[in-house]
Amino acid sequence: MDHATGYGAEWTTLRCYPDSPEWSGEQGWRIRGYRRDYLDSKERAYFDFESEESIGQPNWNLRKGKPYYKIKSYELDYDIGSIGRHLTFDEWEESQAWQAFSAFEAYKKKRWLDYDGLAWCCLHGGGNTATYQKPLIDYYGHAKLSFYSLRMAFQETLAASHDVDIVYGPGDLMKPVIMHLGESIMVNLIVEVQDMNGRILASEVYREIPLKGGRTVTELPGFRPELAEGYYRVIYTVNHI
């Protein structure tokens, strides 16, 4: 059970992974160096079977009239560590967005760290189902946003930022990474920086990138787009040649 973003952990824990900051604790029986010992081992597999215990409220609009409508979860305090305060019931969309974002970023990083396997805490249900907010599918069978973000994270060929931060400074580079599982292939990568209306403001094309077979990670040179201060989205598109 190797969670970097769950139980209210601060974002610095994931940023420093697999070497957690001192203040994040050793997570019970894990001693310093435990993760690196397994990740570097050629004889042992490192399967994370209960990963990223972040929570996402259900869609309360789909629970009106139900016995569990707006019942507080025992996991409520997790928000305080990760977000800084409790999210209200009216902020269930923000709650699902945080769970989806933190789950994707954690799985992305663990893929480039070369974990052998990853599994969420539970896909659906659980022993305390009525107020359980960790599952990707709620008590009545409705998928949360994190269900789709993790499906995206498990693509056989995944391109993303080789960074878990979401803020770039004027001197920072955007550094892509491609994680691949399967036969060796050749791909092109297109990275587009868009404004929130979908208008492309900057782009970079990486051509004829060889991806080795197996479970591989390919880091690419960074680039620095000329952008004004603001909010942007970055789209990574992999085209098989």
Side-chain angles (χ1 to χ4, degrees), residues 79-198:
D79 287 346
I80 296 176
S82 58
I83 298 171
R85 63 174 177 84
H86 287 143
L87 293 179
T88 67
F89 292 131
D90 292 336
E91 295 175 302
W92 67 265
E93 290 175 300
E94 289 85 346
S95 177
Q96 287 201 15
W98 166 256
Q99 184 187 40
F101 164 71
S102 62
F104 176 81
E105 290 295 316
Y107 272 53
K108 178 189 76 173
K109 181 162 189 181
K110 288 184 177 183
R111 279 191 66 172
W112 90 52
L113 288 173
D114 203 24
Y115 276 60
D116 294 289
L118 295 164
W120 194 258
C121 164
C122 61
L123 182 66
H124 182 218
N128 47 0
T129 307
T131 65
Y132 206 28
Q133 294 189 356
K134 295 190 188 93
L136 308 181
I137 300 173
D138 76 11
Y139 182 61
Y140 292 102
H142 305 293
K144 299 176 186 176
L145 192 60
S146 52
F147 176 87
Y148 301 100
S149 72
L150 283 192
R151 189 165 68 176
M152 182 171 64
F154 276 123
Q155 293 177 92
E156 289 186 356
T157 306
L158 175 66
S161 167
H162 196 246
D163 198 316
V164 297
D165 290 343
I166 60 170
V167 178
Y168 290 92
D172 290 340
L173 294 176
M174 290 187 173
K175 298 180 180 180
V177 63
I178 303 178
M179 291 148 282
H180 177 61
L181 179 66
E183 301 294 328
S184 59
I185 58 174
M186 184 81 71
V187 300
N188 292 332
L189 173 65
I190 303 171
V191 184
E192 294 178 346
V193 182
Q194 303 178 359
D195 64 18
M196 302 312 290
N197 295 316

